[in-house]
Amino acid sequence: MTTTEAARVAFEITLPSGGRVPDGLRVFIARDPSLRGAVQAQWEPRRLQGGTLGDGLDVLTLAVTGVLALPSAIETVKRWVSSQGGEAASVVISRDGVSVTISGVEDAEQLQNLAAALLPPPSASVEELGGQDPSAVS
């Protein structure tokens, strides 16, 4: 297993407007038996530029243990999105400036491509993952 596969990598989930997703997504992820032990969803403060105030715990962070769990996590997010209406009919998953939108209509191949877009390059070192210990969640 490479450093990238063993690393816990965090992704931010927001609505396309940048707003907070409903707490139902966090609950949906937490209750999915296929993700138990591999994915953790929790609220975190939005990363803001200096001199600005935040809204508190307003970004859902998805911490994935191992790159092999990411497609399953995205599939779970897709199932939740497809069951929603209104503004929550899509969500944005972001990591290190890369963002993908999940609209709930993606097929398996599209989900694999979205997961690949969010992952660090295969040769990524700990420094490229943000200088964090591979077991740490950002």
Side-chain angles (χ1 to χ4, degrees):
M1 186 175 277
T2 67
T3 301
T4 305
E5 291 170 336
R8 283 180 57 115
V9 182
F11 302 88
E12 292 184 349
I13 304 177
T14 58
L15 293 176
S17 65
R20 178 180 175 163
V21 297
D23 193 47
L25 176 55
R26 184 192 57 79
V27 173
F28 195 80
I29 291 169
R31 290 183 178 167
D32 189 318
S34 69
L35 300 179
R36 227 164 251 135
V39 176
Q40 179 183 12
Q42 62 189 25
W43 291 109
E44 300 215 350
R46 185 176 304 272
R47 293 183 186 132
L48 299 172
Q49 302 210 352
T52 59
L53 297 175
D55 297 332
L57 302 176
D58 56 0
V59 175
L60 185 62
T61 299
L62 185 68
V64 179
T65 303
V67 298
L68 298 178
L70 183 58
S72 295
I74 291 177
E75 169 64 30
T76 299
V77 171
K78 180 201 124 175
R79 281 188 283 123
W80 180 84
V81 168
S82 66
S83 71
Q84 302 301 300
E87 190 180 9
S90 65
V91 297
V92 177
I93 302 177
S94 304
R95 180 182 175 279
D96 292 341
V98 176
S99 297
V100 300
T101 300
I102 306 295
S103 62
V105 297
E106 295 81 7
D107 63 26
E109 183 178 346
Q110 288 171 313
L111 292 175
Q112 289 288 337
N113 291 339
L114 294 173
L118 288 168
L119 292 173
S123 62
S125 65
V126 172
E127 292 76 28
E128 290 172 307
L129 291 173
Q132 297 190 8
D133 180 293
S135 63
V137 177
S138 59

